[in-house]
Amino acid sequence: MADMTLDELLAKDEIREVLHDYCRSMDRLDRDLCVSVFHPEGELFYEGTFTGTAGQFFDWLYERHRTVKACSHQLTSTRIQVDGDRAVSETYGTIAIQSEVEDGWVEERTTRGRYLDTWSRRDGRWAIEHRHHVCDARSTHRVPVATTDITALGARRDRTDPSYELLGR
């Protein structure tokens, strides 16, 4: 770590911010933010579910998330290797999704996996060129609906979420 340059440290911090933007874009269903995480020709490969561009991915996901009441992406361990204006990273993540499936019941889906990303910095901006999502574990179960609707607690799946007032875009 002592050999790391200030530019490498800044690059790693910028890449982590972009990873966090991705999570926010998914949880708030923010298409513009999702697309901004990737270079225009960037490719996404989610094993067994999706292959295409960021815009195509968001449109595909949006259609599947119409019945989702709550979604939360958490990132844990991230390993980033920077080489000038190029980088690669492996980021572990957990995705928790709740969907109302029938009167009085909610389906909870949890996915644990890794984002294997290839990055480049163009015009001073880091973005993903290629993403390969590896699913390490997945579980689904049904639970009774909680007495309080999660959306009544403040979480919203759009730009009316309180975070936009605080943080902006």
Side-chain angles (χ1 to χ4, degrees):
M1 179 106 155
D3 295 338
M4 198 172 308
T5 67
L6 179 58
D7 190 52
E8 287 175 290
L9 289 171
L10 290 171
K12 287 182 177 195
D13 189 58
E14 291 170 20
I15 287 169
R16 281 187 191 90
E17 287 292 320
V18 175
L19 288 166
H20 296 158
D21 283 347
Y22 173 77
C23 292
R24 186 178 194 210
S25 78
M26 294 293 98
D27 295 343
R28 303 288 74 85
L29 289 176
D30 187 331
R31 187 181 204 281
D32 293 339
L33 188 56
C34 173
V35 171
S36 77
V37 168
F38 300 86
H39 285 300
E41 75 286 359
E43 299 175 321
L44 293 81
F45 174 69
Y46 283 66
E47 288 186 6
T49 58
F50 178 84
T51 301
T53 66
Q56 292 167 336
F57 176 72
F58 185 88
D59 295 342
W60 173 85
L61 178 101
Y62 188 85
E63 192 60 33
R64 280 149 188 77
H65 276 223
R66 288 184 311 162
T67 61
V68 170
K69 303 279 275 174
C71 183
S72 181
H73 285 67
Q74 297 91 42
L75 301 180
T76 57
S77 304
T78 300
R79 175 83 171 151
I80 302 169
Q81 295 176 348
V82 178
D83 184 11
D85 286 336
R86 308 215 27 95
V88 293
S89 65
E90 177 185 45
T91 304
Y92 285 77
T94 300
I95 306 160
I97 297 173
Q98 284 189 343
S99 303
E100 197 164 336
V101 289
E102 57 190 57
D103 192 32
W105 291 90
V106 170
E107 181 178 88
E108 292 185 344
R109 288 173 283 156
T110 303
T111 301
R112 289 174 182 80
R114 292 170 285 135
Y115 300 107
L116 307 176
D117 295 325
T118 302
W119 300 80
S120 66
R121 179 171 41 195
R122 300 180 193 167
D123 299 320
R125 183 180 80 84
W126 283 100
I128 299 170
E129 290 182 346
H130 184 267
R131 165 165 282 176
H132 178 176
H133 179 265
V134 177
C135 180
D136 292 325
R138 181 176 287 147
S139 62
T140 303
H141 61 280
R142 290 184 180 203
V143 296
V145 172
T147 55
T148 305
D149 182 354
I150 191 72
T151 56
L153 299 175
R156 296 185 188 93
R157 303 233 40 228
D158 58 27
R159 288 185 177 208
T160 65
D161 185 79
S163 66
Y164 282 87
E165 186 176 332
L166 177 67
L167 299 170
R169 186 201 122 137

